[in-house]
Amino acid sequence: MRSIWSACVLLPSVLAGVAAPGDWRSKVNVQRNGFYPLDVVDKLEETTMTNVDAYMAKKIAAGKNNGCTLEKAGVRREWGDMTIEQRTDFINATLCLMKAPSKAPKDQFPGARSRFDDFMAYHLTNAGSLHDTIGLFPAHKYFLLAYETALRNECGYKGYHPYMNYDRYTKDPKNSALFNGNATSMGGNGAPDPKYTGLRTNGGLIKSGGGGGCVTEGPFKDYMATVGPGSPVMDNVPKNPLSSGGGYNPRCMRRDVNVNAALGATADRSYNLITKSLDINTFYNTLLTPPRNSSDAYNWGIHSAGHYISGGDPGGDPMVSPGDPIFYFHHAMLDRLWWIWQMQDPDNRVNAQVSLGANGAARKIDLKWLIADVIPVLEAHDGLGGHGGAFCHVYV
Ligand SMILES: *[C@@H]1O[C@H](CO)[C@@H](O)[C@H](O)[C@H]1NC(C)=O
Ligand SMILES: *[C@@H]1O[C@H](CO)[C@@H](O)[C@H](O)[C@H]1NC(C)=O
Ligand SMILES: *[C@@H]1O[C@H](CO)[C@@H](O)[C@H](O)[C@H]1NC(C)=O
Ligand SMILES: [Cu+2]
């Protein structure tokens, strides 16, 4: 691992003693792995950091930053940019959460046996408000914060949640640092399941990537999904003993690490999504349901593509997808794309809400047993100071 920002790059502005535009590099700890060249979105993010720096300076001057500064912000990194030690710490904390005691109501979710399961249980019963026009971005931003907070407060994790840059998984996802199945990956592919041929999405049939069975390699090979299924995308997922899906249904984690899905989330697609969506409705609709295009073989929409890079059960099941820890890597990446989009024009975009829902600004996000505070939805729009500074992160 190396940091590409050498001291001599920083020196002139340090000597001048003023924070010139571009000085974000002296405030944020950038850590890159030279194995991955920057893609068009990474480059856009770097140029956007000047806007972010100016936006923060303005908020600080107005006393509205809630204690959040770029220097203090948690840095969420791409998995491949993290050192082996950082990856190990993260994996250990995830394994800890899978053993930590559940706080979900026992009568409603007798199947939730760990703190990790609690998140799956919440998603199962609140999928509507988590995914509608008003909720999708801010509710998942808060859900991710709640999960990251549990890793930190309940399992001693010192870092911040990683994200997966989809583009890095468009060539050979099965042999990537995220999915190669070794001790410092997030687990391997599922064993081949000839009965699993793929799944239907908005854009057509995503052909199987060759997996579909149980994950047998890596740190989560012994992990059992508990609650659900809700809306399984595979056959032969055992039924839950309760009609609510909240009962105990221990089953192996299945995956289909799928390059055909990943090709629907290449960097050029994310770049176009950010730069060509001039309002939040266009951004939301293009992300979820892009216009049909018969000459595009991978037109799934980036949201679906991201979920199905590993798919399976519970990961591919829209009701219980947080039962595969990769869920949070995907939603961190979506949060990153939303944030880069907002920061093209922060004054107008941070509080922009998809206009299809009624009473958008009055909505509150209540994650119940996941995190204490019930927060107004707009407080989960600002990743750098929202909700009294509880949100204070950058993506690098
Ligand atoms: C992670 O857990 C393993 C197994 O419990 C342990 O050997 C290792 O030291 C831990 N690593 C870190 C970085 O804490
Ligand atoms: C796991 O794979 C990654 C990425 O290829 C590599 O950097 C790392 O050294 C491997 N670790 C082990 C324990 O094999
Ligand atoms: C449809 O897909 C093709 C092939 O990827 C692409 O060249 C073209 O620009 C797309 N059309 C629209 C309207 O997005
Ligand atoms: Cu989702």
Side-chain angles (χ1 to χ4, degrees):
M1 299 305 133
R2 69 203 174 98
S3 169
I4 60 171
W5 309 117
S6 61
C8 54
V9 173
L10 303 174
L11 207 53
S13 53
V14 170
L15 288 176
V18 289
D23 256 10
W24 66 271
R25 295 179 202 283
S26 65
K27 301 174 185 171
V28 176
N29 175 9
V30 178
Q31 176 187 302
R32 303 279 193 202
N33 181 345
F35 184 75
Y36 304 98
L38 298 193
D39 65 36
V40 285
V41 176
D42 298 329
K43 288 179 188 161
L44 175 64
E45 184 180 60
E46 291 211 339
T47 57
T48 301
M49 284 306 292
T50 310
N51 292 2
V52 176
D53 202 11
Y55 169 70
M56 290 309 287
K58 213 158 89 180
K59 283 212 299 190
I60 291 165
K64 290 188 169 159
N65 61 316
N66 290 332
C68 181
T69 61
L70 281 185
E71 290 88 340
K72 284 192 200 155
V75 182
R76 292 187 177 150
R77 304 184 192 283
E78 215 289 330
W79 183 250
D81 288 339
M82 289 166 62
T83 64
I84 296 292
E85 196 191 352
Q86 289 168 337
R87 292 179 209 169
T88 309
D89 283 344
F90 178 80
I91 289 166
N92 279 9
T94 308
L95 289 167
C96 157
L97 213 60
M98 289 171 169
K99 291 194 199 110
S102 163
K103 297 178 183 173
K106 290 282 156 297
D107 50 345
Q108 207 185 342
F109 300 105
R113 299 293 165 98
S114 74
R115 195 65 180 129
F116 181 84
D117 296 351
D118 287 358
F119 288 79
M120 204 180 172
Y122 182 88
H123 198 276
L124 173 65
T125 37
N126 296 276
S129 60
L130 279 167
H131 291 99
D132 69 8
T133 53
I134 296 300
L136 182 77
F137 298 119
H140 279 91
K141 193 184 200 72
Y142 196 31
F143 194 80
L144 176 62
L145 180 72
Y147 184 76
E148 184 185 73
T149 303
L151 288 170
R152 290 170 61 86
N153 292 357
E154 294 170 52
C155 282
Y157 179 54
K158 299 279 190 296
Y160 296 90
H161 203 288
Y163 69 91
M164 69 162 151
N165 179 355
Y166 313 122
D167 195 83
R168 294 186 183 183
Y169 308 96
T170 53
K171 278 145 209 115
D172 193 5
K174 286 178 222 174
N175 294 307
S176 66
L178 196 52
F179 292 119
N180 69 15
N182 82 13
T184 60
S185 71
M186 288 301 289
N189 193 13
D193 176 359
K195 289 206 214 77
Y196 178 69
T197 54
L199 67 135
R200 206 149 272 294
T201 70
N202 301 323
L205 180 80
I206 304 183
K207 273 187 303 195
S208 164
C214 298
V215 170
T216 58
E217 289 175 329
F220 306 109
K221 66 179 167 40
D222 300 321
Y223 158 69
M224 293 282 189
T226 54
V227 298
S231 308
V233 292
M234 334 192 81
D235 296 332
N236 309 320
V237 179
K239 283 207 170 31
N240 196 280
L242 299 181
S243 60
S244 67
Y248 188 51
N249 185 23
R251 57 199 192 277
C252 74
M253 178 165 77
R254 291 164 66 184
R255 277 184 180 161
D256 177 38
V257 174
N258 193 314
V259 71
N260 303 310
L263 285 167
T266 47
D268 62 322
R269 292 174 194 267
S270 298
Y271 182 85
N272 287 337
L273 169 72
I274 294 167
T275 57
K276 294 191 177 156
S277 301
L278 299 181
D279 58 72
I280 188 70
N281 287 1
T282 310
F283 184 81
Y284 175 92
N285 289 325
T286 309
L287 183 84
L288 269 78
T289 323
R292 287 215 174 262
N293 180 348
S294 54
S295 51
D296 181 348
Y298 307 104
N299 192 35
W300 329 122
I302 289 170
H303 174 255
S304 295
H307 274 292
Y308 297 126
I309 286 178
S310 57
D313 171 66
D317 180 332
M319 308 303 284
V320 289
S321 44
D324 184 328
I326 213 66
F327 168 91
Y328 300 93
F329 287 65
H330 163 50
H331 271 286
M333 178 65 176
L334 285 189
D335 191 53
R336 174 183 182 239
L337 297 180
W338 180 38
W339 178 67
I340 301 172
W341 180 85
Q342 287 178 320
M343 289 297 142
Q344 302 308 303
D345 181 6
D347 289 343
N348 293 308
R349 290 188 179 180
V350 168
N351 286 336
Q353 292 181 292
V354 184
S355 67
L356 307 169
N359 272 329
R363 168 86 73 86
K364 290 198 161 50
I365 311 173
D366 181 356
L367 298 184
K368 303 197 171 127
W369 52 88
L370 301 183
I371 193 165
D373 290 8
V374 177
I375 72 173
V377 73
L378 283 174
E379 290 192 7
H381 270 240
D382 185 355
L384 284 162
H387 192 54
F391 292 96
C392 187
H393 296 87
V394 289
Y395 291 95
V396 167

